[in-house]
Amino acid sequence: MATQTGIPASHDRDFYAWALESAHRLRAGNLAGLDLQRIAEEIEDMGRAEKHALASHLKILILHLLKWRYQPTLRSLSWQLSIANARDEIAELLEDSPSLTGKLPDILARRYPAARQGAILETGLPAATFPTECPFTVEQLLDPEYWT
């Protein structure tokens, strides 16, 4: 499969066309001329993107749970929806990529400081208000019934 011009797609010139052409040729078993190294790199990048998305949703979840816990008089539907949405996105990612489940403790440890810092900035509360270690377990974070 070539582009509309008849010229094989180039990764650097038209990524979308290159991806479609490469997928078509892989399915057909036509490996000649495929940049297998580049394809492998793109697949690895997709895996990293999934892990990054998980870390991002986890950070948002922690941030809003911290605000929920430490500013109970300011709880809002917006925070509640953000918590529910983050949990839903995390569940979806883990359903599609269950091998990421085992990475959750490491991701939690790595992303908690940023979530804590975000909570400090957003709430204006003293840093000492928020524990230096995450007060939530992975199980609590993923539990749609857990709130405080």
Side-chain angles (χ1 to χ4, degrees):
M1 172 190 276
T3 62
Q4 291 179 349
T5 63
I7 300 169
S10 164
H11 176 277
D12 297 328
R13 195 172 58 248
D14 186 341
F15 177 78
Y16 179 73
W18 173 84
L20 292 178
E21 179 181 338
S22 295
H24 176 76
R25 290 173 62 188
L26 281 169
R27 284 189 187 96
N30 180 8
L31 303 182
L34 281 178
D35 186 346
L36 296 178
Q37 182 65 30
R38 178 77 67 142
I39 292 169
E41 288 170 6
E42 290 298 333
I43 292 170
E44 288 170 343
D45 285 347
M46 289 187 311
R48 278 190 291 277
E50 288 292 298
K51 187 177 172 186
H52 178 75
L54 176 61
S56 177
H57 290 300
L58 191 61
K59 181 182 117 181
I60 290 167
L61 173 59
I62 296 165
L63 168 66
H64 282 95
L65 280 174
L66 287 170
K67 290 178 3 179
W68 189 268
R69 176 179 279 185
Y70 294 101
Q71 286 191 311
T73 59
L74 297 178
R75 289 177 180 168
S76 67
L77 179 59
S78 173
W79 289 358
Q80 193 173 9
L81 288 171
S82 179
I83 291 166
N85 183 60
R87 283 180 167 146
D88 180 60
E89 293 295 329
I90 291 167
E92 192 75 19
L93 280 164
L94 294 176
E95 183 179 317
D96 290 345
S97 300
S99 63
L100 286 172
T101 302
K103 305 269 185 210
L104 279 170
D106 290 338
I107 295 170
L108 174 59
R110 198 168 30 89
R111 298 309 294 152
Y112 178 72
R116 179 180 180 265
Q117 185 61 36
I120 292 165
L121 292 172
E122 284 193 30
T123 65
L125 294 172
T129 304
F130 303 98
T132 56
E133 299 293 320
C134 185
F136 313 112
T137 66
V138 169
E139 293 75 21
Q140 289 170 330
L141 289 169
L142 301 182
D143 181 357
E145 302 299 319
Y146 180 80
W147 289 92
T148 54

